[in-house]
Amino acid sequence: QKVTGKEVWPMDWGITRSQVKQLLVRLRLEPQWHAGNNVYVLVQEFIIPWTQGTGTSYALLLNREEPKEVNVMVSHAWGENAEEFLEALTRSIDDTDVLFICALSLQ
């Protein structure tokens, strides 16, 4: 992925705990969002439209001025409840952790 013409490598496609919390707030404010949505719906109906035309992932879009170096690789199921997954992340990591989550870090 490129930001302002500069190549940014996957090790810097991270998202922080506070950004995951902000994502949850943003989703819950969306009229089309339902608490039972899975990660497929999160990505197809929200993340892709929000990032369309930017050439970057959601994580890199948030951090385009200062990409975040990843220190935690997160594995998850796309069929799982998205809110439960994101809530579990916020309970399981420290404020200093930077996550690579394929649903949010890949374009």
Side-chain angles (χ1 to χ4, degrees), residues 15-76:
I15 189 167
T16 66
R17 181 180 187 214
S18 66
Q19 290 171 330
V20 171
K21 287 181 178 182
Q22 291 167 2
L23 173 58
L24 271 167
V25 170
R26 182 176 182 184
L27 289 168
R28 290 171 175 157
L29 291 173
E30 287 282 341
Q32 313 91 313
W33 179 255
H34 302 287
N37 285 345
N38 62 29
V39 178
Y40 287 112
V41 173
L42 165 64
V43 171
Q44 289 298 315
E45 296 183 19
F46 298 91
I47 300 301
I48 289 174
W50 292 342
T51 60
Q52 193 166 12
T54 66
T56 66
S57 65
Y58 182 77
L60 195 52
L61 181 62
L62 294 179
N63 299 304
R64 61 190 167 273
E65 298 297 320
E66 188 178 332
K68 304 292 183 205
E69 185 175 353
V70 173
N71 72 329
V72 176
M73 172 71 176
V74 177
S75 180
H76 64 92

Short mmCIF file of all heavy atoms in Angstrom, two decimals, residues 15-76:
data_model
loop_
_atom_site.label_atom_id
_atom_site.label_comp_id
_atom_site.label_asym_id
_atom_site.label_seq_id
_atom_site.Cartn_x
_atom_site.Cartn_y
_atom_site.Cartn_z
N ILE A 15 -3.19 -1.10 13.69
CA ILE A 15 -4.28 -0.32 14.29
C ILE A 15 -4.17 -0.45 15.81
O ILE A 15 -3.80 -1.50 16.33
CB ILE A 15 -5.65 -0.79 13.75
CG1 ILE A 15 -6.78 0.14 14.19
CG2 ILE A 15 -5.94 -2.24 14.11
CD1 ILE A 15 -8.08 -0.09 13.45
N THR A 16 -4.46 0.61 16.52
CA THR A 16 -4.29 0.63 17.97
C THR A 16 -5.59 0.25 18.70
O THR A 16 -6.67 0.21 18.11
CB THR A 16 -3.88 2.04 18.46
OG1 THR A 16 -4.96 2.94 18.21
CG2 THR A 16 -2.61 2.52 17.76
N ARG A 17 -5.44 0.00 19.97
CA ARG A 17 -6.60 -0.32 20.82
C ARG A 17 -7.62 0.81 20.80
O ARG A 17 -8.82 0.58 20.66
CB ARG A 17 -6.12 -0.58 22.25
CG ARG A 17 -7.21 -0.93 23.21
CD ARG A 17 -6.62 -1.16 24.59
NE ARG A 17 -7.62 -1.66 25.49
CZ ARG A 17 -7.65 -1.37 26.77
NH1 ARG A 17 -6.71 -0.60 27.29
NH2 ARG A 17 -8.60 -1.84 27.53
N SER A 18 -7.17 2.04 20.93
CA SER A 18 -8.10 3.17 20.93
C SER A 18 -8.81 3.30 19.59
O SER A 18 -9.99 3.66 19.53
CB SER A 18 -7.41 4.48 21.32
OG SER A 18 -6.47 4.85 20.34
N GLN A 19 -8.13 2.97 18.50
CA GLN A 19 -8.75 3.02 17.19
C GLN A 19 -9.80 1.92 17.02
O GLN A 19 -10.82 2.13 16.36
CB GLN A 19 -7.69 2.96 16.09
CG GLN A 19 -6.86 4.22 16.03
CD GLN A 19 -5.66 4.12 15.12
OE1 GLN A 19 -5.08 3.04 14.93
NE2 GLN A 19 -5.27 5.24 14.55
N VAL A 20 -9.56 0.77 17.61
CA VAL A 20 -10.57 -0.30 17.60
C VAL A 20 -11.80 0.15 18.39
O VAL A 20 -12.93 -0.06 17.95
CB VAL A 20 -9.99 -1.63 18.17
CG1 VAL A 20 -11.08 -2.67 18.36
CG2 VAL A 20 -8.89 -2.16 17.25
N LYS A 21 -11.57 0.78 19.54
CA LYS A 21 -12.70 1.31 20.32
C LYS A 21 -13.48 2.35 19.53
O LYS A 21 -14.71 2.36 19.54
CB LYS A 21 -12.20 1.92 21.63
CG LYS A 21 -11.75 0.92 22.66
CD LYS A 21 -11.30 1.65 23.93
CE LYS A 21 -10.89 0.69 25.01
NZ LYS A 21 -10.50 1.39 26.25
N GLN A 22 -12.75 3.23 18.84
CA GLN A 22 -13.41 4.26 18.01
C GLN A 22 -14.21 3.63 16.87
O GLN A 22 -15.29 4.12 16.52
CB GLN A 22 -12.37 5.23 17.46
CG GLN A 22 -11.74 6.11 18.50
CD GLN A 22 -10.49 6.83 17.99
OE1 GLN A 22 -10.10 6.71 16.83
NE2 GLN A 22 -9.86 7.59 18.87
N LEU A 23 -13.70 2.54 16.32
CA LEU A 23 -14.42 1.83 15.27
C LEU A 23 -15.74 1.29 15.81
O LEU A 23 -16.78 1.41 15.15
CB LEU A 23 -13.57 0.69 14.70
CG LEU A 23 -14.26 -0.24 13.71
CD1 LEU A 23 -14.80 0.52 12.50
CD2 LEU A 23 -13.30 -1.35 13.28
N LEU A 24 -15.71 0.71 17.00
CA LEU A 24 -16.95 0.22 17.61
C LEU A 24 -17.98 1.34 17.79
O LEU A 24 -19.16 1.16 17.48
CB LEU A 24 -16.64 -0.42 18.97
CG LEU A 24 -16.30 -1.89 18.96
CD1 LEU A 24 -15.72 -2.32 20.30
CD2 LEU A 24 -17.52 -2.72 18.60
N VAL A 25 -17.54 2.48 18.27
CA VAL A 25 -18.44 3.62 18.44
C VAL A 25 -19.00 4.04 17.09
O VAL A 25 -20.23 4.25 16.96
CB VAL A 25 -17.70 4.80 19.12
CG1 VAL A 25 -18.54 6.07 19.07
CG2 VAL A 25 -17.33 4.45 20.55
N ARG A 26 -18.15 4.15 16.10
CA ARG A 26 -18.60 4.56 14.76
C ARG A 26 -19.63 3.58 14.19
O ARG A 26 -20.64 4.00 13.62
CB ARG A 26 -17.39 4.66 13.82
CG ARG A 26 -17.74 5.12 12.43
CD ARG A 26 -16.51 5.30 11.57
NE ARG A 26 -16.90 5.80 10.25
CZ ARG A 26 -16.07 5.99 9.26
NH1 ARG A 26 -14.77 5.75 9.40
NH2 ARG A 26 -16.50 6.43 8.09
N LEU A 27 -19.37 2.29 14.34
CA LEU A 27 -20.30 1.29 13.84
C LEU A 27 -21.65 1.40 14.53
O LEU A 27 -22.70 1.34 13.89
CB LEU A 27 -19.73 -0.12 14.03
CG LEU A 27 -18.57 -0.49 13.12
CD1 LEU A 27 -17.91 -1.77 13.60
CD2 LEU A 27 -19.04 -0.62 11.67
N ARG A 28 -21.62 1.55 15.84
CA ARG A 28 -22.87 1.60 16.61
C ARG A 28 -23.70 2.85 16.31
O ARG A 28 -24.90 2.86 16.58
CB ARG A 28 -22.56 1.48 18.10
CG ARG A 28 -22.09 0.07 18.46
CD ARG A 28 -21.58 -0.03 19.86
NE ARG A 28 -21.25 -1.42 20.19
CZ ARG A 28 -20.40 -1.77 21.12
NH1 ARG A 28 -19.78 -0.85 21.87
NH2 ARG A 28 -20.15 -3.04 21.36
N LEU A 29 -23.06 3.87 15.74
CA LEU A 29 -23.78 5.08 15.34
C LEU A 29 -24.37 4.95 13.93
O LEU A 29 -25.19 5.78 13.53
CB LEU A 29 -22.85 6.29 15.40
CG LEU A 29 -22.43 6.73 16.80
CD1 LEU A 29 -21.38 7.83 16.72
CD2 LEU A 29 -23.63 7.17 17.62
N GLU A 30 -23.93 3.95 13.18
CA GLU A 30 -24.42 3.73 11.82
C GLU A 30 -25.82 3.12 11.87
O GLU A 30 -26.01 2.06 12.47
CB GLU A 30 -23.49 2.77 11.06
CG GLU A 30 -22.18 3.37 10.65
CD GLU A 30 -22.30 4.27 9.44
OE1 GLU A 30 -23.29 4.18 8.69
OE2 GLU A 30 -21.37 5.09 9.25
N PRO A 31 -26.80 3.75 11.23
CA PRO A 31 -28.16 3.21 11.24
C PRO A 31 -28.27 1.80 10.64
O PRO A 31 -29.10 1.01 11.07
CB PRO A 31 -28.96 4.20 10.38
CG PRO A 31 -28.13 5.42 10.27
CD PRO A 31 -26.71 5.01 10.50
N GLN A 32 -27.41 1.47 9.67
CA GLN A 32 -27.47 0.16 9.02
C GLN A 32 -26.74 -0.93 9.82
O GLN A 32 -26.81 -2.10 9.46
CB GLN A 32 -26.84 0.21 7.62
CG GLN A 32 -27.28 1.34 6.75
CD GLN A 32 -26.37 2.56 6.88
OE1 GLN A 32 -26.03 2.99 7.97
NE2 GLN A 32 -25.99 3.15 5.75
N TRP A 33 -26.03 -0.56 10.84
CA TRP A 33 -25.26 -1.53 11.62
C TRP A 33 -26.19 -2.30 12.55
O TRP A 33 -27.08 -1.73 13.18
CB TRP A 33 -24.17 -0.84 12.44
CG TRP A 33 -23.40 -1.82 13.27
CD1 TRP A 33 -23.49 -2.01 14.61
CD2 TRP A 33 -22.43 -2.77 12.81
NE1 TRP A 33 -22.65 -3.01 15.01
CE2 TRP A 33 -21.98 -3.50 13.91
CE3 TRP A 33 -21.91 -3.06 11.55
CZ2 TRP A 33 -21.04 -4.51 13.82
CZ3 TRP A 33 -20.96 -4.07 11.45
CH2 TRP A 33 -20.54 -4.78 12.57
N HIS A 34 -25.95 -3.60 12.66
CA HIS A 34 -26.70 -4.46 13.57
C HIS A 34 -25.70 -5.20 14.47
O HIS A 34 -24.67 -5.69 13.97
CB HIS A 34 -27.55 -5.48 12.81
CG HIS A 34 -28.53 -4.83 11.88
ND1 HIS A 34 -29.66 -4.18 12.33
CD2 HIS A 34 -28.53 -4.69 10.54
CE1 HIS A 34 -30.31 -3.69 11.30
NE2 HIS A 34 -29.65 -3.97 10.20
N ALA A 35 -26.00 -5.28 15.74
CA ALA A 35 -25.08 -5.90 16.70
C ALA A 35 -24.75 -7.35 16.35
O ALA A 35 -23.70 -7.85 16.74
CB ALA A 35 -25.67 -5.82 18.11
N GLY A 36 -25.59 -8.01 15.60
CA GLY A 36 -25.34 -9.40 15.23
C GLY A 36 -24.51 -9.59 13.98
O GLY A 36 -24.26 -10.72 13.56
N ASN A 37 -24.04 -8.50 13.36
CA ASN A 37 -23.25 -8.61 12.13
C ASN A 37 -21.95 -9.35 12.36
O ASN A 37 -21.30 -9.18 13.40
CB ASN A 37 -22.93 -7.22 11.57
CG ASN A 37 -24.12 -6.57 10.90
OD1 ASN A 37 -25.12 -7.21 10.60
ND2 ASN A 37 -24.02 -5.28 10.68
N ASN A 38 -21.55 -10.12 11.35
CA ASN A 38 -20.26 -10.80 11.43
C ASN A 38 -19.18 -9.96 10.74
O ASN A 38 -19.46 -8.87 10.25
CB ASN A 38 -20.36 -12.21 10.85
CG ASN A 38 -20.73 -12.24 9.39
OD1 ASN A 38 -20.44 -11.32 8.62
ND2 ASN A 38 -21.40 -13.31 8.97
N VAL A 39 -17.97 -10.48 10.72
CA VAL A 39 -16.84 -9.73 10.14
C VAL A 39 -17.00 -9.58 8.63
O VAL A 39 -16.59 -8.56 8.07
CB VAL A 39 -15.50 -10.37 10.54
CG1 VAL A 39 -14.32 -9.64 9.90
CG2 VAL A 39 -15.34 -10.39 12.06
N TYR A 40 -17.61 -10.56 7.96
CA TYR A 40 -17.88 -10.41 6.53
C TYR A 40 -18.69 -9.14 6.27
O TYR A 40 -18.38 -8.35 5.39
CB TYR A 40 -18.67 -11.60 5.98
CG TYR A 40 -17.92 -12.89 5.84
CD1 TYR A 40 -18.23 -13.98 6.65
CD2 TYR A 40 -16.92 -13.04 4.87
CE1 TYR A 40 -17.56 -15.19 6.51
CE2 TYR A 40 -16.25 -14.25 4.73
CZ TYR A 40 -16.57 -15.32 5.56
OH TYR A 40 -15.91 -16.50 5.42
N VAL A 41 -19.75 -8.95 7.03
CA VAL A 41 -20.62 -7.78 6.87
C VAL A 41 -19.85 -6.51 7.22
O VAL A 41 -19.95 -5.50 6.51
CB VAL A 41 -21.90 -7.91 7.72
CG1 VAL A 41 -22.72 -6.63 7.70
CG2 VAL A 41 -22.74 -9.10 7.24
N LEU A 42 -19.10 -6.54 8.30
CA LEU A 42 -18.28 -5.40 8.69
C LEU A 42 -17.43 -4.93 7.52
O LEU A 42 -17.41 -3.74 7.19
CB LEU A 42 -17.40 -5.76 9.89
CG LEU A 42 -16.24 -4.81 10.21
CD1 LEU A 42 -16.76 -3.44 10.63
CD2 LEU A 42 -15.35 -5.41 11.28
N VAL A 43 -16.74 -5.85 6.90
CA VAL A 43 -15.83 -5.50 5.81
C VAL A 43 -16.59 -5.08 4.55
O VAL A 43 -16.31 -4.02 3.98
CB VAL A 43 -14.84 -6.66 5.52
CG1 VAL A 43 -14.04 -6.39 4.26
CG2 VAL A 43 -13.93 -6.87 6.72
N GLN A 44 -17.54 -5.90 4.11
CA GLN A 44 -18.24 -5.64 2.85
C GLN A 44 -19.10 -4.39 2.88
O GLN A 44 -19.13 -3.63 1.91
CB GLN A 44 -19.11 -6.85 2.47
CG GLN A 44 -18.31 -8.05 2.03
CD GLN A 44 -17.49 -7.78 0.78
OE1 GLN A 44 -17.96 -7.18 -0.18
NE2 GLN A 44 -16.23 -8.20 0.80
N GLU A 45 -19.79 -4.16 3.98
CA GLU A 45 -20.77 -3.07 4.02
C GLU A 45 -20.27 -1.79 4.69
O GLU A 45 -20.91 -0.74 4.57
CB GLU A 45 -22.06 -3.55 4.69
CG GLU A 45 -22.72 -4.65 3.88
CD GLU A 45 -24.04 -5.12 4.47
OE1 GLU A 45 -24.64 -4.39 5.28
OE2 GLU A 45 -24.46 -6.23 4.10
N PHE A 46 -19.13 -1.87 5.37
CA PHE A 46 -18.64 -0.69 6.07
C PHE A 46 -17.19 -0.36 5.73
O PHE A 46 -16.90 0.73 5.23
CB PHE A 46 -18.83 -0.85 7.59
CG PHE A 46 -20.28 -0.98 7.95
CD1 PHE A 46 -20.91 -2.21 8.01
CD2 PHE A 46 -21.05 0.16 8.17
CE1 PHE A 46 -22.27 -2.33 8.31
CE2 PHE A 46 -22.41 0.07 8.46
CZ PHE A 46 -23.01 -1.18 8.52
N ILE A 47 -16.26 -1.27 5.97
CA ILE A 47 -14.84 -0.99 5.76
C ILE A 47 -14.55 -0.68 4.28
O ILE A 47 -13.90 0.32 3.98
CB ILE A 47 -13.96 -2.15 6.27
CG1 ILE A 47 -14.18 -2.37 7.77
CG2 ILE A 47 -12.49 -1.89 5.93
CD1 ILE A 47 -13.87 -1.18 8.66
N ILE A 48 -15.04 -1.52 3.37
CA ILE A 48 -14.76 -1.28 1.94
C ILE A 48 -15.35 0.05 1.48
O ILE A 48 -14.63 0.85 0.87
CB ILE A 48 -15.22 -2.47 1.07
CG1 ILE A 48 -14.30 -3.66 1.32
CG2 ILE A 48 -15.25 -2.09 -0.40
CD1 ILE A 48 -14.71 -4.95 0.63
N PRO A 49 -16.61 0.35 1.77
CA PRO A 49 -17.12 1.67 1.36
C PRO A 49 -16.36 2.85 1.99
O PRO A 49 -16.15 3.87 1.33
CB PRO A 49 -18.58 1.65 1.81
CG PRO A 49 -18.95 0.20 1.84
CD PRO A 49 -17.69 -0.50 2.28
N TRP A 50 -15.96 2.72 3.23
CA TRP A 50 -15.24 3.81 3.91
C TRP A 50 -13.86 4.04 3.30
O TRP A 50 -13.33 5.14 3.37
CB TRP A 50 -15.09 3.54 5.39
CG TRP A 50 -16.38 3.58 6.17
CD1 TRP A 50 -17.57 4.15 5.79
CD2 TRP A 50 -16.60 3.05 7.47
NE1 TRP A 50 -18.51 3.99 6.78
CE2 TRP A 50 -17.95 3.32 7.83
CE3 TRP A 50 -15.82 2.35 8.38
CZ2 TRP A 50 -18.51 2.94 9.04
CZ3 TRP A 50 -16.37 1.96 9.58
CH2 TRP A 50 -17.70 2.26 9.91
N THR A 51 -13.24 2.99 2.76
CA THR A 51 -11.88 3.11 2.24
C THR A 51 -11.82 3.16 0.72
O THR A 51 -10.75 3.36 0.15
CB THR A 51 -11.01 1.93 2.73
OG1 THR A 51 -11.59 0.70 2.27
CG2 THR A 51 -10.88 1.91 4.24
N GLN A 52 -12.96 3.00 0.07
CA GLN A 52 -12.99 2.97 -1.39
C GLN A 52 -12.35 4.22 -2.00
O GLN A 52 -12.61 5.34 -1.57
CB GLN A 52 -14.43 2.84 -1.87
CG GLN A 52 -14.55 2.49 -3.32
CD GLN A 52 -15.95 2.05 -3.67
OE1 GLN A 52 -16.89 2.20 -2.90
NE2 GLN A 52 -16.10 1.49 -4.85
N GLY A 53 -11.49 3.99 -2.96
CA GLY A 53 -10.84 5.09 -3.65
C GLY A 53 -9.60 5.64 -2.94
O GLY A 53 -8.92 6.50 -3.48
N THR A 54 -9.30 5.14 -1.75
CA THR A 54 -8.14 5.66 -1.03
C THR A 54 -6.85 4.90 -1.36
O THR A 54 -5.76 5.42 -1.15
CB THR A 54 -8.34 5.58 0.50
OG1 THR A 54 -8.40 4.19 0.89
CG2 THR A 54 -9.60 6.30 0.94
N GLY A 55 -6.99 3.66 -1.82
CA GLY A 55 -5.82 2.83 -2.10
C GLY A 55 -5.17 2.27 -0.86
O GLY A 55 -4.06 1.74 -0.94
N THR A 56 -5.84 2.43 0.28
CA THR A 56 -5.27 1.91 1.53
C THR A 56 -6.32 1.15 2.33
O THR A 56 -7.53 1.26 2.08
CB THR A 56 -4.73 3.04 2.44
OG1 THR A 56 -5.82 3.85 2.88
CG2 THR A 56 -3.71 3.89 1.74
N SER A 57 -5.85 0.42 3.29
CA SER A 57 -6.73 -0.29 4.21
C SER A 57 -7.30 0.69 5.24
O SER A 57 -6.87 1.85 5.33
CB SER A 57 -5.92 -1.36 4.96
OG SER A 57 -4.93 -0.73 5.78
N TYR A 58 -8.23 0.21 6.04
CA TYR A 58 -8.81 1.04 7.10
C TYR A 58 -7.73 1.45 8.10
O TYR A 58 -7.62 2.63 8.45
CB TYR A 58 -9.93 0.26 7.81
CG TYR A 58 -10.62 1.05 8.88
CD1 TYR A 58 -11.55 2.03 8.54
CD2 TYR A 58 -10.37 0.83 10.22
CE1 TYR A 58 -12.19 2.78 9.52
CE2 TYR A 58 -11.01 1.56 11.21
CZ TYR A 58 -11.93 2.53 10.85
OH TYR A 58 -12.56 3.25 11.83
N ALA A 59 -6.90 0.50 8.51
CA ALA A 59 -5.84 0.81 9.49
C ALA A 59 -4.87 1.85 8.96
O ALA A 59 -4.52 2.80 9.66
CB ALA A 59 -5.10 -0.47 9.88
N LEU A 60 -4.45 1.69 7.72
CA LEU A 60 -3.49 2.63 7.15
C LEU A 60 -4.15 3.98 6.85
O LEU A 60 -3.51 5.02 6.99
CB LEU A 60 -2.83 2.05 5.90
CG LEU A 60 -1.58 2.75 5.41
CD1 LEU A 60 -0.54 2.94 6.52
CD2 LEU A 60 -0.97 1.99 4.25
N LEU A 61 -5.42 3.96 6.50
CA LEU A 61 -6.14 5.22 6.29
C LEU A 61 -6.16 6.04 7.58
O LEU A 61 -5.92 7.25 7.56
CB LEU A 61 -7.57 4.93 5.82
CG LEU A 61 -8.45 6.15 5.53
CD1 LEU A 61 -7.87 6.98 4.39
CD2 LEU A 61 -9.86 5.70 5.20
N LEU A 62 -6.39 5.38 8.70
CA LEU A 62 -6.40 6.08 9.99
C LEU A 62 -5.03 6.63 10.35
O LEU A 62 -4.92 7.66 11.03
CB LEU A 62 -6.86 5.15 11.11
CG LEU A 62 -8.29 4.65 11.08
CD1 LEU A 62 -8.54 3.71 12.26
CD2 LEU A 62 -9.28 5.80 11.10
N ASN A 63 -3.99 5.93 9.91
CA ASN A 63 -2.62 6.25 10.34
C ASN A 63 -1.73 6.69 9.18
O ASN A 63 -0.52 6.54 9.24
CB ASN A 63 -2.02 5.03 11.04
CG ASN A 63 -2.80 4.66 12.26
OD1 ASN A 63 -3.00 5.46 13.16
ND2 ASN A 63 -3.31 3.43 12.29
N ARG A 64 -2.33 7.28 8.16
CA ARG A 64 -1.57 7.65 6.96
C ARG A 64 -0.46 8.66 7.26
O ARG A 64 0.56 8.66 6.60
CB ARG A 64 -2.48 8.15 5.86
CG ARG A 64 -3.29 9.38 6.19
CD ARG A 64 -4.35 9.65 5.12
NE ARG A 64 -5.31 10.63 5.57
CZ ARG A 64 -6.41 10.36 6.26
NH1 ARG A 64 -6.69 9.12 6.60
NH2 ARG A 64 -7.24 11.31 6.64
N GLU A 65 -0.66 9.51 8.26
CA GLU A 65 0.38 10.49 8.62
C GLU A 65 1.53 9.83 9.38
O GLU A 65 2.67 10.29 9.30
CB GLU A 65 -0.22 11.62 9.46
CG GLU A 65 -1.29 12.42 8.75
CD GLU A 65 -0.77 13.14 7.52
OE1 GLU A 65 0.36 13.68 7.58
OE2 GLU A 65 -1.48 13.15 6.50
N GLU A 66 1.20 8.79 10.13
CA GLU A 66 2.21 8.10 10.94
C GLU A 66 1.82 6.63 11.06
O GLU A 66 1.21 6.22 12.04
CB GLU A 66 2.30 8.73 12.34
CG GLU A 66 3.43 8.22 13.17
CD GLU A 66 3.50 8.91 14.52
OE1 GLU A 66 3.07 10.07 14.65
OE2 GLU A 66 4.00 8.26 15.45
N PRO A 67 2.17 5.81 10.03
CA PRO A 67 1.82 4.39 10.08
C PRO A 67 2.34 3.73 11.35
O PRO A 67 3.40 4.09 11.86
CB PRO A 67 2.50 3.82 8.83
CG PRO A 67 2.54 4.98 7.89
CD PRO A 67 2.82 6.18 8.78
N LYS A 68 1.55 2.79 11.86
CA LYS A 68 1.85 2.14 13.14
C LYS A 68 2.52 0.79 12.92
O LYS A 68 2.00 -0.07 12.21
CB LYS A 68 0.56 1.93 13.94
CG LYS A 68 -0.24 3.19 14.19
CD LYS A 68 0.47 4.13 15.10
CE LYS A 68 -0.39 5.35 15.39
NZ LYS A 68 0.39 6.50 15.76
N GLU A 69 3.68 0.61 13.55
CA GLU A 69 4.38 -0.66 13.46
C GLU A 69 3.68 -1.72 14.32
O GLU A 69 3.44 -1.51 15.51
CB GLU A 69 5.84 -0.52 13.90
CG GLU A 69 6.62 -1.79 13.70
CD GLU A 69 8.10 -1.64 14.03
OE1 GLU A 69 8.56 -0.50 14.29
OE2 GLU A 69 8.80 -2.67 14.02
N VAL A 70 3.38 -2.84 13.71
CA VAL A 70 2.64 -3.92 14.33
C VAL A 70 3.52 -4.69 15.32
O VAL A 70 4.68 -4.98 15.05
CB VAL A 70 2.13 -4.90 13.25
CG1 VAL A 70 1.51 -6.13 13.85
CG2 VAL A 70 1.17 -4.18 12.31
N ASN A 71 2.93 -5.02 16.48
CA ASN A 71 3.61 -5.92 17.41
C ASN A 71 2.74 -7.10 17.81
O ASN A 71 3.19 -7.99 18.53
CB ASN A 71 4.13 -5.18 18.65
CG ASN A 71 3.02 -4.75 19.59
OD1 ASN A 71 1.90 -4.46 19.17
ND2 ASN A 71 3.32 -4.70 20.88
N VAL A 72 1.47 -7.13 17.33
CA VAL A 72 0.57 -8.25 17.62
C VAL A 72 -0.17 -8.63 16.33
O VAL A 72 -0.81 -7.78 15.71
CB VAL A 72 -0.48 -7.88 18.70
CG1 VAL A 72 -1.46 -9.02 18.92
CG2 VAL A 72 0.19 -7.50 20.00
N MET A 73 -0.05 -9.90 15.95
CA MET A 73 -0.79 -10.43 14.80
C MET A 73 -2.04 -11.12 15.34
O MET A 73 -1.96 -11.99 16.19
CB MET A 73 0.09 -11.44 14.06
CG MET A 73 -0.60 -12.19 12.98
SD MET A 73 -0.94 -11.14 11.59
CE MET A 73 -1.63 -12.32 10.47
N VAL A 74 -3.20 -10.69 14.84
CA VAL A 74 -4.48 -11.21 15.33
C VAL A 74 -5.06 -12.16 14.30
O VAL A 74 -5.22 -11.79 13.13
CB VAL A 74 -5.47 -10.06 15.62
CG1 VAL A 74 -6.82 -10.61 16.06
CG2 VAL A 74 -4.90 -9.12 16.66
N SER A 75 -5.39 -13.36 14.73
CA SER A 75 -6.07 -14.33 13.90
C SER A 75 -7.53 -14.40 14.36
O SER A 75 -7.80 -14.37 15.56
CB SER A 75 -5.40 -15.70 14.05
OG SER A 75 -6.06 -16.65 13.25
N HIS A 76 -8.44 -14.45 13.39
CA HIS A 76 -9.86 -14.48 13.76
C HIS A 76 -10.66 -15.16 12.67
O HIS A 76 -10.18 -15.37 11.56
CB HIS A 76 -10.38 -13.05 13.99
CG HIS A 76 -10.35 -12.20 12.77
ND1 HIS A 76 -11.42 -12.10 11.91
CD2 HIS A 76 -9.37 -11.44 12.22
CE1 HIS A 76 -11.11 -11.29 10.92
NE2 HIS A 76 -9.86 -10.88 11.07
#
